[in-house]
Amino acid sequence: MMAKTLQELIKQSKFESPQQKAYINMYYTYYHFHNLHSNLLKPYGILPQHYNILKIVKGKHPEPVTPGHILDVMLDKKRDLTRLVDKLVSMKLLERCQSKDNKRFVHISLTQKGYDLTVKLENDLKSFIQHNLNDEESELLSKLLDKMR
């Protein structure tokens, strides 16, 4: 069964230009996947921004990271990093420790519980990112999105 087209989904038959249609389609698709992602994370009491932080910290695991590193690579930079990390620390998914070299610096690392949850969520997320596009199509889409930005 073919997926519904953007025109069918938003009940609009005409667009000002192909570029406008692509832009609207990009936003519609973003919200579609954002909602799927949010629903997958909801049972664990975390938001997509929390998951992004867990993935960033896991990417350097077992080495700790600084808050500055997290901010540099976060997808949603508008959120309050301190509050997001506080929640993950209170859930025992992350831990903070002061740098041994400089007490003004804080390092953040995954707990075993945080590592295990991140691996589980990575596997769960594969189910909805790998079913529609093959590798070649995925690379093309990624290049087109890079070009749009």
Side-chain angles (χ1 to χ4, degrees), residues 58 61 93 110-120:
K58 182 179 175 281
H61 185 74
L93 300 173
L110 278 173
T111 63
Q112 187 62 49
K113 180 180 175 183
Y115 181 86
D116 293 344
L117 178 62
T118 306
V119 169
K120 180 192 181 331

Side-chain angles (χ1 to χ4, degrees), residues 66-82:
T66 63
H69 172 75
I70 295 171
L71 270 175
D72 284 346
V73 294
M74 268 181 78
L75 297 176
D76 184 355
K77 297 177 190 310
K78 294 183 263 347
R79 298 294 177 136
D80 180 0
L81 179 63
T82 302

Side-chain angles (χ1 to χ4, degrees), residues 55-136:
K55 288 283 293 171
I56 291 166
V57 178
K58 182 179 175 281
K60 294 287 188 175
H61 185 74
E63 297 295 319
V65 299
T66 63
H69 172 75
I70 295 171
L71 270 175
D72 284 346
V73 294
M74 268 181 78
L75 297 176
D76 184 355
K77 297 177 190 310
K78 294 183 263 347
R79 298 294 177 136
D80 180 0
L81 179 63
T82 302
R83 215 170 321 152
L84 292 167
V85 169
D86 285 348
K87 178 168 181 175
L88 294 170
V89 168
S90 73
M91 296 174 75
K92 309 232 184 298
L93 300 173
L94 293 179
E95 57 188 10
R96 280 193 185 99
C97 61
Q98 284 186 324
S99 169
K100 293 172 187 144
D101 303 328
N102 186 335
K103 298 291 183 203
R104 293 179 298 158
F105 289 108
V106 172
H107 290 152
I108 298 168
S109 55
L110 278 173
T111 63
Q112 187 62 49
K113 180 180 175 183
Y115 181 86
D116 293 344
L117 178 62
T118 306
V119 169
K120 180 192 181 331
L121 291 171
E122 286 170 337
N123 290 328
D124 291 349
L125 287 167
K126 284 179 186 175
S127 67
F128 71 80
I129 64 171
Q130 292 184 339
H131 69 282
N132 286 335
L133 301 177
N134 64 34
D135 290 353
E136 185 179 312

Side-chain angles (χ1 to χ4, degrees), residues 23-50:
Y23 186 77
I24 292 169
N25 203 342
M26 180 187 64
Y27 257 105
Y28 188 91
T29 303
Y30 163 77
Y31 284 109
H32 170 78
F33 282 104
H34 185 276
N35 291 336
L36 286 173
H37 193 195
S38 294
N39 289 337
L40 182 74
L41 300 173
K42 190 181 253 180
Y44 303 97
I46 63 173
L47 300 170
Q49 295 84 2
H50 293 119

Side-chain angles (χ1 to χ4, degrees), residues 132-145:
N132 286 335
L133 301 177
N134 64 34
D135 290 353
E136 185 179 312
E137 292 166 330
S138 295
E139 284 294 334
L140 176 59
L141 176 60
S142 193
K143 285 179 184 174
L144 292 171
L145 291 171

